[in-house]
């Protein structure tokens, strides 16, 4: 039983890590697409440049409210910002 729980935990963490890096890559592309520095994005979102740097390096994710603000700033959905994709039926199918 413990082995299954451990395997499940590892799989969940890998999924979380994938989401973290998907967000990091997407944020970087969106920011660069606007020709902005990390400092400029930080000023627009009212956070520190260090926070933006951590997000882009996949070290951390912003809080939910900041995810929404970031998505709004770039005119994308939170799902798009997190790299989630929709299937042909309109349902989220994952990364």
């Amino acid at each position: 039983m413990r082995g299954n729980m451990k395997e499940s935990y590892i799989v969940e963490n890998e999924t979380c890590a994938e989401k973290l890096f998907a967000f990091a890559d997407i944020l970087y592309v969106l920011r660069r697409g606007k020709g902005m520095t990390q400092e400029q994005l930080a000023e627009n979102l009212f956070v520190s440049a260090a926070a933006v740097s951590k997000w882009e390096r996949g070290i951390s994710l912003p809080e939910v409210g900041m995810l929404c603000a970031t998505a709004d700033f770039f005119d994308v959905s939170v799902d798009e910002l997190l790299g989630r994709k929709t299937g042909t039926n309109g349902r989220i199918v994952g990364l």
Side-chain angles (χ1 to χ4, degrees):
M1 180 94 168
R2 276 193 168 260
N4 290 340
M5 287 175 46
K6 186 175 181 181
E7 288 173 19
S8 174
Y9 178 76
I10 291 170
V11 170
E12 287 175 17
N13 280 344
E14 288 173 351
T15 301
C16 289
E18 289 172 2
K19 289 177 185 174
L20 193 62
F21 288 114
F23 170 77
D25 292 342
I26 292 166
L27 181 63
Y28 174 81
V29 168
L30 290 171
R31 177 181 62 78
R32 294 295 301 238
K34 282 195 173 241
M36 300 178 77
T37 64
Q38 289 180 343
E39 292 80 12
Q40 291 169 324
L41 178 58
E43 288 174 14
N44 279 279
L45 296 176
F46 303 102
V47 298
S48 69
V52 173
S53 175
K54 286 179 182 179
W55 299 342
E56 287 190 1
R57 289 184 289 142
I59 293 173
S60 66
L61 280 171
E63 297 292 323
V64 173
M66 185 53 62
L67 278 173
C68 293
T70 304
D72 289 347
F73 179 79
F74 288 111
D75 195 29
V76 298
S77 71
V78 172
D79 282 333
E80 290 171 298
L81 192 58
L82 293 174
R84 292 170 45 121
K85 301 188 182 0
T86 54
T88 55
N89 63 358
R91 297 187 68 181
I92 300 294
V93 294
L95 294 174

